[in-house]
């Protein structure tokens, strides 16, 4: 089962996920696929209505610029989180030393 880069799912992935839900149940399929049960439930309803192909449009691949931007945003979020933690640690240890 293959995912596209932006988090969209291929038709084949959605069809296999629906089959897994039908075979093993919603909770087990969600756990095995590490997905929200609501999304699988929507796909199951769409498949039963014969509209599974219309749930999500296939997306074009990301350009190099978009990939770099996504990587930099992720790195910025991580560094911001680290900075905030370091501020909290510094405040905690400065109180402890007084």
């Amino acid at each position: 089962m293959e995912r596209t880069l932006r988090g969209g799912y291929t038709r084949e992935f959605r069809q296999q996920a629906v089959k897994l839900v039908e075979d093993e149940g919603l909770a087990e399929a969600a756990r095995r696929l590490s997905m929200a049960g609501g999304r699988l439930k929507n796909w199951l309803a769409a498949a039963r209505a014969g509209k599974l192909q219309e749930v999500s449009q296939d997306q074009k691949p990301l350009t190099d610029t978009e990939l770099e931007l996504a990587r930099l945003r992720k790195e910025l979020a991580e560094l911001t989180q680290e900075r905030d933690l370091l501020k909290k640690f510094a405040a905690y240890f400065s109180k402890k030393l007084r």
Side-chain angles (χ1 to χ4, degrees), residues 27-82:
E28 178 63 18
R31 186 189 65 74
R32 288 186 57 192
L33 296 172
S34 300
M35 295 178 67
R39 175 174 285 158
L40 292 173
K41 189 175 180 182
N42 291 340
W43 290 353
L44 183 61
R48 288 180 178 162
K51 298 180 180 179
L52 184 60
Q53 306 303 330
E54 300 171 14
V55 172
S56 171
Q57 299 296 324
D58 289 336
Q59 299 173 349
K60 63 180 181 174
L62 296 174
T63 64
D64 290 338
T65 306
E66 291 171 323
L67 289 171
E68 178 71 6
L69 180 60
R71 186 189 66 77
L72 290 172
R73 285 182 176 161
K74 181 179 178 182
E75 185 177 339
L76 176 63
E78 290 172 357
L79 291 173
T80 302
Q81 186 178 22
E82 288 175 12

